[in-house]
């Protein structure tokens, strides 16, 4: 299904449970993902007879957007669909949005899977690379080959949006998250390293941290473990 929210087209799929239900589970994929990203977990939750929504972020948004505009888009989608206090499951970029919505009191529970959003540590090598990047920007030189794979794979007119998102750090929001939070993290994650999981766990009072055998896509690398924990978390 497709809907237009805040002027952008968003895809989604929805399973509405028959009768009364206390929960709606909202899945938010990572940057560059789509409806297939959380497909296995979405179907597993639907099999429990629990209402759930698999939401896909638009690939084209206004050039002035940042992560807060994406969060507002999801909030407005929730209002449009009559979704109140969902359990939000966010991977990587989806975790950024989940953090914002939870800090605003708009989530019953959240699941952060290898979530982005925290200010990273920088090694000397990384600092040198950043300095070279800014030098090229100042001199008007090509930026091809610089940045993460996500940056290099995104269309040129969306790169400013991506950079704005990456440079928006959400650490200050963690104390405002009061809902139960499950943090699921790959031990070998290099994109959002394990120290970020520990920082989230310390910053979110009512949180549980579970390590998985895998990398940045731990919910796929340890799929059975993730789905079992997710089912337990949303039904407890």
């Amino acid at each position: 299904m497709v809907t237009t929210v805040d002027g952008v087209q968003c895809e989604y799929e929805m399973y509405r449970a028959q009768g009364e239900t206390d929960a709606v589970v909202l899945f938010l994929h990572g940057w560059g993902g789509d409806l297939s990203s959380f497909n296995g977990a979405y179907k597993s939750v639907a099999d429990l007879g629990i209402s759930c929504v698999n939401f896909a972020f638009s690939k084209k948004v206004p050039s002035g957007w940042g992560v807060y505009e994406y969060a507002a888009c999801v909030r407005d989608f929730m209002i449009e669909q009559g979704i109140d206090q969902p359990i939000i499951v966010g991977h990587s970029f989806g975790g950024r949005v989940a953090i914002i919505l939870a800090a605003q009191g708009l989530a019953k529970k959240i699941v952060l899977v290898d979530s982005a959003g925290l200010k990273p540590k920088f090694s000397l090598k990384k600092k040198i690379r950043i300095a070279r990047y800014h030098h090229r920007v100042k001199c008007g030189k090509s930026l091809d080959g610089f940045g993460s794979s996500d940056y290099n794979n995104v269309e040129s007119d969306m790169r400013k949006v991506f950079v704005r998102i990456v440079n928006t750090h959400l650490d200050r929001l963690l104390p405002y998250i009061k809902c139960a939070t499950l943090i699921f993290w790959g031990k070998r994650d290099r994109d959002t390293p394990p120290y970020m999981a520990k920082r989230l766990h310390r910053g979110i009072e009512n949180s549980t941290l579970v390590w998985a055998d895998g990398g940045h896509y731990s919910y796929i690398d340890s799929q059975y473990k993730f789905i079992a924990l997710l089912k337990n978390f949303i039904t407890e």
Side-chain angles (χ1 to χ4, degrees):
M1 292 180 280
V2 178
T3 186
T4 299
V5 185
D6 296 349
V8 299
Q9 281 196 335
C10 304
E11 288 187 277
Y12 70 99
E13 53 185 343
M14 178 180 294
Y15 168 75
R16 291 192 183 274
Q18 298 296 318
E20 294 294 327
T21 179
D22 293 331
V24 176
V25 183
L26 174 62
F27 293 91
L28 303 176
H29 62 70
W31 186 268
D34 53 33
L35 289 180
S36 66
S37 299
F38 267 123
N39 196 39
Y42 170 81
K43 289 182 177 178
S44 295
V45 172
D47 287 343
L48 289 177
I50 295 174
S51 296
C52 54
V53 180
N54 197 10
F55 181 86
F57 295 106
S58 176
K59 301 298 184 184
K60 292 282 189 179
V61 302
S63 60
W65 272 36
V67 67
Y68 283 96
E69 284 74 22
Y70 276 97
C73 180
V74 175
R75 179 202 63 205
D76 292 343
F77 170 79
M78 289 163 49
I79 293 171
E80 174 191 282
Q81 298 296 327
I83 300 171
D84 183 43
Q85 293 290 307
I87 297 171
I88 303 176
V89 183
H91 170 247
S92 195
F93 171 73
R96 293 180 189 267
V97 174
I99 288 171
I100 292 171
L101 295 175
Q104 294 173 347
L106 299 177
K108 182 180 180 180
K109 298 178 181 179
I110 60 172
V111 181
L112 300 176
V113 187
D114 299 284
S115 176
L118 300 188
K119 186 174 183 178
K121 298 176 182 177
F122 287 125
S123 64
L124 179 59
K125 182 178 179 181
K126 182 74 171 180
K127 290 179 180 178
I128 292 173
R129 189 169 179 82
I130 291 172
R132 289 177 61 202
Y133 170 86
H134 287 300
H135 176 71
R136 282 182 169 265
V137 170
K138 185 177 180 180
C139 296
K141 296 182 179 180
S142 172
L143 297 177
D144 292 342
F146 277 81
S148 66
S149 58
D150 280 339
Y151 176 86
N152 289 310
N153 289 334
V154 76
E155 293 185 20
S156 58
D157 58 348
M158 283 286 288
R159 286 185 174 180
K160 288 184 179 180
V161 174
F162 180 80
V163 170
R164 189 176 297 112
I165 289 167
V166 169
N167 289 328
T168 301
H169 304 133
L170 307 176
D171 305 63
R172 66 180 182 83
L173 297 183
L174 302 187
Y176 296 97
I177 299 176
K178 304 302 181 184
C179 62
T181 301
L182 173 63
I183 302 168
F184 190 84
W185 220 270
K187 295 177 183 177
R188 299 188 300 277
D189 189 342
R190 293 185 178 180
D191 295 310
T192 51
Y195 72 79
M196 291 187 175
K198 296 176 183 178
R199 195 188 300 170
L200 282 170
H201 184 37
R202 290 195 301 268
I204 302 174
E205 183 177 354
N206 189 16
S207 65
T208 301
L209 172 57
V210 177
W211 296 106
D213 292 325
H216 190 56
Y217 293 87
S218 62
Y219 69 100
I220 296 175
D221 297 332
S222 298
Q223 185 176 37
Y224 296 117
K225 180 177 183 177
F226 173 70
I227 290 175
L229 285 167
L230 177 63
K231 286 181 176 180
N232 183 64
F233 183 68
I234 66 181
T235 56
E236 66 183 5

